Amino acid sequence: MTGAKADLGRRRRLLGGAVCGLVAAFAGLAVAELAAAVVRPEAAPVTAVGGTVVDLTPTAVKEWAIRQFGTADKLVLALGIVLVLGAVAAAAGVLAVRRLPAGLAVAGAFGLVGALAATSRPEASWRDALPSLAGGLAAAGVLYLLVRALRRPRPAGAPPGGAGAMDRRGFGRLVAATLAASAGIGYAGRRLGAYGSLGAGASRAGLVLPPPDVPAPPVPPGAEPAVRGTSPFLTAAGDFYRVDTALVVPRVDADTWRLRIHGEGVARPLELDLRALLARPLVEHDITLTCVSNEVGGPYAGNARWLGVRLADLLHEAGVRPPSRGGPADQLVARSVDGMTIGTPVETVMDGREALLAVGMNGEPLPFAHGFPVRMVVPGLYGYVSACKWLRELHLTTFSAYDAYWVRRGWAAQAPVKTQSRIDTPRPSAEPLAGQVAVAGVAWAQHRGIARVEVRVDGGPWQEARLADADGVDTWRLWSWPWEAAPGRHTLQVRATDGGGAVQTEEVRPPVPDGATGLHTVAVHVRPRPAAAAAAAARTG
Ligand SMILES: Nc1nc2c(c(=O)[nH]1)N[C@H]1C(S)=C(S)[C@@H](COP(=O)(O)O)O[C@H]1N2
Ligand SMILES: [Mo]
């Protein structure tokens, strides 16, 4: 045997084996996708493994991922899983060419990993194992067929080269056919998955929200931005930030949705469907929602007009008393259909503020991504301790007895929103022309309100910004400041004072464990005006 021939054999083994492995994995994922469409979308292997990775990831790494990738973090995670899967699949294929049983065992093991992940997800049943098991079996079957085809010896007496080429062509055809069939199966799975949630889609499309019994007053015109390029007062649902652990957005059917209220000190446990909830008095209220993982100056804040039932009314109806009136439970644990748990102080939701079980956002039923059909919203608390989406259970307990999801991962059990302010314009590294430059942004201190915003340039004296009209204490307040900008590099900073007179702290702290602090700082490069530059040049020249 010549060296060249041996190389060809080796190359064929490596390349052909890798192709076998990759195609088998693709086929396995496609079959699993179709099975998951029947069982439950969350049980698809990449989703289940991804969810497990999200839950096991240390807080520091998660923070890093959110900083690096923002809301694309989920896409990056799915890509990462597919890359790892692809690498292992290619290796398993190469192994299978040598020792077929070993390669098949890897395919089976992958099915098992997926099945384990899927059955250990919140709300999972044994049926959630089926998509991964079916996928593992399909991958093993395809691997077997492809490796056998790859190994098939040349017909005896065939001229070298010619027959080899025929062989390759046959293998190539088999690969192409398998890929096409898998793509078809995967596509059918996706379509069927969408069909499976048609009921949820129809229930949302058919939901007519009753008018509020207590409407919110119209937003004062003076609350809107005075400067272009700044956030509008109300954030459209499509522009509203989204932060959650769900790799597929739960699509809950409003017609079968139920809420259970039970636990310590609940004299009369309640179970409600949506009709019963909507039959209660509905309140409309503007509330700014903010995320604890928002960096100073970051985008995870949004302001909406929410429609919902007062949580305190429901709790009273269930016979719950706040701790200050002798109630035994100090924590309200909200549980979602996807197993998220969010703990909120009972005292806070019963202290008279508009803590809502929201069904509407800006005049529409909640979008699926924002918690359809019902979510919590509590003015003054970060989302992770108050704003449970896809709500299905309210459990009264104590903070000493139970740690909710994020608390187990190092975040504080109680987290009132910290006073924050943000410069929306000019943008970092902007190059405005010298002269009057509009500086503008938002400031928030939910449930305390914003009393004052100040801006300073290059660490100089604080200067009072103009506040837009306040809509209430539970929403952010827009502000603007006309700056006489001189050419050169400058640093802008902003700080807010809340309704109680407390000035936003300059102390720099990270988001963990209970919210970032520090001043939003924006560096810009002010360019001289062309005329002024020419005049200056003429003077010096
Ligand atoms: N079920 C569920 N609810 C959740 C979360 C989640 O991961 N799952 N994330 C919370 C967090 S951290 C925030 S900041 C808000 C964000 O709400 P939004 O995505 O509608 O903006 O939802 C909260 N409710
Ligand atoms: Mo959050």
Side-chain angles (χ1 to χ4, degrees), residues 241 243-244 290-294 300 382-385 406:
Y241 80 96
V243 171
D244 55 55
T290 43
C291 181
V292 70
S293 61
N294 198 41
Y300 301 141
Y382 286 119
Y384 85 105
V385 288
W406 292 109

PDB file of all heavy atoms in Angstrom, residues 241 243-244 290-294 300 382-385 406, ligand 2:
ATOM      1  N   TYR A 241     -38.227  45.926  27.142  1.00  0.00           N
ATOM      2  CA  TYR A 241     -37.170  44.941  27.392  1.00  0.00           C
ATOM      3  C   TYR A 241     -37.792  43.632  27.850  1.00  0.00           C
ATOM      4  O   TYR A 241     -38.896  43.602  28.378  1.00  0.00           O
ATOM      5  CB  TYR A 241     -36.180  45.463  28.439  1.00  0.00           C
ATOM      6  CG  TYR A 241     -36.636  45.339  29.884  1.00  0.00           C
ATOM      7  CD1 TYR A 241     -36.240  44.251  30.659  1.00  0.00           C
ATOM      8  CD2 TYR A 241     -37.454  46.293  30.465  1.00  0.00           C
ATOM      9  CE1 TYR A 241     -36.649  44.124  31.984  1.00  0.00           C
ATOM     10  CE2 TYR A 241     -37.865  46.174  31.784  1.00  0.00           C
ATOM     11  CZ  TYR A 241     -37.467  45.095  32.533  1.00  0.00           C
ATOM     12  OH  TYR A 241     -37.874  44.965  33.831  1.00  0.00           O
ATOM     13  N   VAL A 243     -36.663  40.158  30.027  1.00  0.00           N
ATOM     14  CA  VAL A 243     -35.684  39.389  30.793  1.00  0.00           C
ATOM     15  C   VAL A 243     -36.400  38.216  31.438  1.00  0.00           C
ATOM     16  O   VAL A 243     -37.323  38.397  32.232  1.00  0.00           O
ATOM     17  CB  VAL A 243     -35.008  40.253  31.882  1.00  0.00           C
ATOM     18  CG1 VAL A 243     -34.160  39.370  32.791  1.00  0.00           C
ATOM     19  CG2 VAL A 243     -34.129  41.325  31.260  1.00  0.00           C
ATOM     20  N   ASP A 244     -36.026  36.997  31.038  1.00  0.00           N
ATOM     21  CA  ASP A 244     -36.557  35.812  31.699  1.00  0.00           C
ATOM     22  C   ASP A 244     -35.673  34.624  31.364  1.00  0.00           C
ATOM     23  O   ASP A 244     -34.767  34.717  30.542  1.00  0.00           O
ATOM     24  CB  ASP A 244     -38.016  35.560  31.299  1.00  0.00           C
ATOM     25  CG  ASP A 244     -38.188  35.466  29.805  1.00  0.00           C
ATOM     26  OD1 ASP A 244     -37.496  34.650  29.184  1.00  0.00           O
ATOM     27  OD2 ASP A 244     -39.006  36.223  29.242  1.00  0.00           O
ATOM     28  N   THR A 290     -38.328  47.774  36.161  1.00  0.00           N
ATOM     29  CA  THR A 290     -36.879  47.764  35.960  1.00  0.00           C
ATOM     30  C   THR A 290     -36.301  46.443  36.435  1.00  0.00           C
ATOM     31  O   THR A 290     -36.837  45.796  37.325  1.00  0.00           O
ATOM     32  CB  THR A 290     -36.184  48.927  36.718  1.00  0.00           C
ATOM     33  OG1 THR A 290     -36.756  49.032  38.011  1.00  0.00           O
ATOM     34  CG2 THR A 290     -36.332  50.231  35.986  1.00  0.00           C
ATOM     35  N   CYS A 291     -35.178  46.079  35.802  1.00  0.00           N
ATOM     36  CA  CYS A 291     -34.532  44.803  36.116  1.00  0.00           C
ATOM     37  C   CYS A 291     -33.317  45.045  36.997  1.00  0.00           C
ATOM     38  O   CYS A 291     -32.525  45.948  36.740  1.00  0.00           O
ATOM     39  CB  CYS A 291     -34.102  44.099  34.836  1.00  0.00           C
ATOM     40  SG  CYS A 291     -33.337  42.501  35.148  1.00  0.00           S
ATOM     41  N   VAL A 292     -33.157  44.211  38.004  1.00  0.00           N
ATOM     42  CA  VAL A 292     -32.043  44.338  38.945  1.00  0.00           C
ATOM     43  C   VAL A 292     -30.707  44.143  38.239  1.00  0.00           C
ATOM     44  O   VAL A 292     -29.687  44.669  38.690  1.00  0.00           O
ATOM     45  CB  VAL A 292     -32.213  43.328  40.099  1.00  0.00           C
ATOM     46  CG1 VAL A 292     -31.990  41.901  39.617  1.00  0.00           C
ATOM     47  CG2 VAL A 292     -31.287  43.645  41.255  1.00  0.00           C
ATOM     48  N   SER A 293     -30.702  43.396  37.127  1.00  0.00           N
ATOM     49  CA  SER A 293     -29.420  43.130  36.468  1.00  0.00           C
ATOM     50  C   SER A 293     -29.027  44.251  35.516  1.00  0.00           C
ATOM     51  O   SER A 293     -28.014  44.157  34.830  1.00  0.00           O
ATOM     52  CB  SER A 293     -29.456  41.792  35.734  1.00  0.00           C
ATOM     53  OG  SER A 293     -30.447  41.815  34.744  1.00  0.00           O
ATOM     54  N   ASN A 294     -29.812  45.319  35.489  1.00  0.00           N
ATOM     55  CA  ASN A 294     -29.478  46.470  34.653  1.00  0.00           C
ATOM     56  C   ASN A 294     -28.215  47.148  35.172  1.00  0.00           C
ATOM     57  O   ASN A 294     -28.120  47.487  36.344  1.00  0.00           O
ATOM     58  CB  ASN A 294     -30.637  47.468  34.696  1.00  0.00           C
ATOM     59  CG  ASN A 294     -30.607  48.458  33.559  1.00  0.00           C
ATOM     60  OD1 ASN A 294     -30.310  48.096  32.424  1.00  0.00           O
ATOM     61  ND2 ASN A 294     -30.904  49.710  33.862  1.00  0.00           N
ATOM     62  N   TYR A 300     -32.506  47.947  30.567  1.00  0.00           N
ATOM     63  CA  TYR A 300     -33.577  47.100  31.102  1.00  0.00           C
ATOM     64  C   TYR A 300     -34.538  47.864  32.000  1.00  0.00           C
ATOM     65  O   TYR A 300     -34.637  47.622  33.206  1.00  0.00           O
ATOM     66  CB  TYR A 300     -33.001  45.893  31.841  1.00  0.00           C
ATOM     67  CG  TYR A 300     -32.136  45.022  30.977  1.00  0.00           C
ATOM     68  CD1 TYR A 300     -30.973  44.436  31.450  1.00  0.00           C
ATOM     69  CD2 TYR A 300     -32.479  44.798  29.644  1.00  0.00           C
ATOM     70  CE1 TYR A 300     -30.179  43.647  30.646  1.00  0.00           C
ATOM     71  CE2 TYR A 300     -31.691  44.019  28.823  1.00  0.00           C
ATOM     72  CZ  TYR A 300     -30.542  43.444  29.326  1.00  0.00           C
ATOM     73  OH  TYR A 300     -29.766  42.664  28.516  1.00  0.00           O
ATOM     74  N   TYR A 382     -37.864  45.565  42.061  1.00  0.00           N
ATOM     75  CA  TYR A 382     -37.292  45.018  40.839  1.00  0.00           C
ATOM     76  C   TYR A 382     -38.126  43.831  40.364  1.00  0.00           C
ATOM     77  O   TYR A 382     -38.774  43.145  41.173  1.00  0.00           O
ATOM     78  CB  TYR A 382     -35.844  44.577  41.070  1.00  0.00           C
ATOM     79  CG  TYR A 382     -34.878  45.735  41.185  1.00  0.00           C
ATOM     80  CD1 TYR A 382     -34.136  45.939  42.344  1.00  0.00           C
ATOM     81  CD2 TYR A 382     -34.696  46.626  40.124  1.00  0.00           C
ATOM     82  CE1 TYR A 382     -33.243  47.003  42.453  1.00  0.00           C
ATOM     83  CE2 TYR A 382     -33.816  47.687  40.217  1.00  0.00           C
ATOM     84  CZ  TYR A 382     -33.081  47.874  41.392  1.00  0.00           C
ATOM     85  OH  TYR A 382     -32.211  48.924  41.484  1.00  0.00           O
ATOM     86  N   GLY A 383     -38.058  43.570  39.055  1.00  0.00           N
ATOM     87  CA  GLY A 383     -38.879  42.526  38.448  1.00  0.00           C
ATOM     88  C   GLY A 383     -38.682  41.155  39.069  1.00  0.00           C
ATOM     89  O   GLY A 383     -39.639  40.391  39.220  1.00  0.00           O
ATOM     90  N   TYR A 384     -37.437  40.829  39.455  1.00  0.00           N
ATOM     91  CA  TYR A 384     -37.177  39.462  39.928  1.00  0.00           C
ATOM     92  C   TYR A 384     -37.766  39.202  41.310  1.00  0.00           C
ATOM     93  O   TYR A 384     -37.773  38.062  41.758  1.00  0.00           O
ATOM     94  CB  TYR A 384     -35.665  39.171  39.923  1.00  0.00           C
ATOM     95  CG  TYR A 384     -34.924  39.614  41.162  1.00  0.00           C
ATOM     96  CD1 TYR A 384     -34.505  38.678  42.115  1.00  0.00           C
ATOM     97  CD2 TYR A 384     -34.653  40.947  41.399  1.00  0.00           C
ATOM     98  CE1 TYR A 384     -33.827  39.071  43.262  1.00  0.00           C
ATOM     99  CE2 TYR A 384     -33.978  41.346  42.536  1.00  0.00           C
ATOM    100  CZ  TYR A 384     -33.572  40.409  43.464  1.00  0.00           C
ATOM    101  OH  TYR A 384     -32.914  40.808  44.596  1.00  0.00           O
ATOM    102  N   VAL A 385     -38.233  40.251  42.011  1.00  0.00           N
ATOM    103  CA  VAL A 385     -38.905  40.045  43.297  1.00  0.00           C
ATOM    104  C   VAL A 385     -40.363  40.510  43.243  1.00  0.00           C
ATOM    105  O   VAL A 385     -40.964  40.781  44.285  1.00  0.00           O
ATOM    106  CB  VAL A 385     -38.177  40.764  44.464  1.00  0.00           C
ATOM    107  CG1 VAL A 385     -36.877  40.049  44.793  1.00  0.00           C
ATOM    108  CG2 VAL A 385     -37.931  42.223  44.137  1.00  0.00           C
ATOM    109  N   TRP A 406     -34.095  33.258  42.211  1.00  0.00           N
ATOM    110  CA  TRP A 406     -32.892  34.100  42.123  1.00  0.00           C
ATOM    111  C   TRP A 406     -32.193  34.226  43.471  1.00  0.00           C
ATOM    112  O   TRP A 406     -30.993  34.480  43.523  1.00  0.00           O
ATOM    113  CB  TRP A 406     -33.247  35.486  41.564  1.00  0.00           C
ATOM    114  CG  TRP A 406     -33.652  35.407  40.127  1.00  0.00           C
ATOM    115  CD1 TRP A 406     -34.910  35.580  39.628  1.00  0.00           C
ATOM    116  CD2 TRP A 406     -32.816  35.084  39.006  1.00  0.00           C
ATOM    117  NE1 TRP A 406     -34.904  35.385  38.267  1.00  0.00           N
ATOM    118  CE2 TRP A 406     -33.649  35.088  37.856  1.00  0.00           C
ATOM    119  CE3 TRP A 406     -31.460  34.803  38.869  1.00  0.00           C
ATOM    120  CZ2 TRP A 406     -33.144  34.814  36.583  1.00  0.00           C
ATOM    121  CZ3 TRP A 406     -30.970  34.531  37.599  1.00  0.00           C
ATOM    122  CH2 TRP A 406     -31.809  34.536  36.476  1.00  0.00           C
TER     123      TRP A 406
HETATM  124 MO    MO B   2     -34.874  41.257  36.248  1.00  0.00          MO
END
